[in-house]
Amino acid sequence: MARAREFLFTMTTGRSGTKYLAELLRQNLADAECEHEILGWDRFGVDAPDISHMTLFNSLGNVPKVQSFWQQKLARIAAAPAPFYAETSHLLMKSGLIENLAPLLAAGRVHLVMLERDPFDTVMSFRSRHDFDNRGNMWVWYLDPEYPKNLVQSERLVALGLDGICLWYILEIRTRAAYYARLLGGQSGIVLHRATLEDIAAPAGAARLLAALGAPKPPERITLPPAQNANLRHEAVRPDVEARF
């Protein structure tokens, strides 16, 4: 009998250690295909959701166009040869991945990692990269506070400016992840994991996650990758801004 496949995805904000997690898995899992974000001018709409999948899912829901994207992508992943497939991109959950897992559940087990990072560090990373400076960027990579399908009310935080928008986004993602965890908890073929970047950046925390994935490895034998996607520029943070966190 063929070995059941293992699949891993994240439920996270981005700038939370997704690339680090992909590298950690790549360096410590045997027979695994580990991707971070599959990007390129010809990959959007094929391997990565394009802007229409993001905006449609968050405004209208799991409409046929969104379902069609996931059917072709997940069928291809399910047919791939590697026993363990991981894709840590933060785009996927925000575009309907969880609602369309059926092709993978028919082929094996799905691991969903609720990956978090200290909120202050996450917001400072967003600010450093100007990730929330315009709506177009939010449509492509993050979330618009005005999407009809959002779970967290945004008005009071948006009124605080850029920092408030970033905080709203973190709350929205964590709320969605908690909703999915409650919805899927105990479902056959789905395993939920909670991890923080700060934890998996140390041997003991990385070992706990690998053991939970069915690939135990002593902490002293784990290869920790260097920091990934480190900010190239840092903005000075006023004391009153830092005090908000």
Side-chain angles (χ1 to χ4, degrees):
M1 180 180 296
R3 174 185 171 186
R5 304 281 308 288
E6 304 279 348
F7 309 99
L8 181 146
F9 303 94
T10 60
M11 300 194 293
T12 187
T13 61
R15 304 306 301 162
S16 54
T18 54
K19 188 172 183 180
Y20 179 89
L21 175 59
E23 289 299 318
L24 176 69
L25 298 175
R26 182 178 293 114
Q27 295 185 33
N28 292 279
L29 289 178
D31 301 322
E33 178 182 351
C34 302
E35 306 284 355
H36 172 224
E37 295 172 351
I38 307 176
L39 303 178
W41 64 266
D42 59 344
R43 307 326 302 156
F44 285 102
V46 179
D47 291 306
D50 67 24
I51 190 171
S52 67
H53 300 122
M54 291 277 286
T55 56
L56 283 172
F57 178 74
N58 289 286
S59 60
L60 299 178
N62 193 28
V63 297
K65 182 175 181 178
V66 173
Q67 295 176 37
S68 178
F69 165 75
W70 287 111
Q71 287 168 4
Q72 61 84 24
K73 175 179 172 65
L74 298 184
R76 191 164 55 253
I77 292 174
F84 198 112
Y85 178 90
E87 188 173 347
T88 62
S89 170
H90 65 100
L91 302 179
L92 306 186
M93 180 194 76
K94 295 178 291 193
S95 303
L97 166 67
I98 309 302
E99 286 78 2
N100 293 282
L101 286 173
L104 300 184
L105 293 174
R109 183 167 57 171
V110 175
H111 300 267
L112 299 174
V113 180
M114 303 168 70
L115 180 63
E116 296 181 354
R117 182 187 183 190
D118 178 86
F120 179 79
D121 292 338
T122 308
V123 172
M124 291 304 101
S125 186
F126 291 149
R127 285 167 54 99
S128 177
R129 292 160 53 92
H130 302 280
D131 283 335
F132 287 83
D133 282 6
N134 63 80
R135 177 165 286 181
N137 208 44
M138 289 190 285
W139 286 347
V140 176
W141 305 110
Y142 297 102
L143 292 173
D144 187 330
E146 296 183 10
Y147 275 139
K149 294 292 185 179
N150 290 336
L151 299 180
V152 176
Q153 292 185 346
S154 61
E155 290 81 3
R156 292 177 63 185
L157 285 171
V158 168
L160 299 176
L162 179 61
D163 296 314
I165 294 173
C166 293
L167 279 172
W168 165 81
Y169 171 69
I170 293 172
L171 290 172
E172 176 68 23
I173 291 298
R174 292 190 179 186
T175 301
R176 292 191 189 194
Y179 167 76
Y180 285 134
R182 183 164 184 173
L183 183 69
L184 301 173
Q187 181 172 326
S188 177
I190 295 180
V191 185
L192 299 165
H193 307 272
R194 295 179 181 271
T196 67
L197 172 59
E198 295 80 6
D199 196 29
I200 64 173
R208 284 192 293 271
L209 178 59
L210 290 172
L213 296 176
K217 197 172 185 180
E220 62 273 14
R221 295 186 55 194
I222 289 177
T223 302
L224 293 179
Q228 304 289 313
N229 270 347
N231 293 331
L232 298 180
R233 58 184 184 274
H234 297 272
E235 296 182 5
V237 180
R238 302 191 314 269
D240 62 308
V241 173
E242 185 168 358
R244 295 180 185 178
F245 298 89

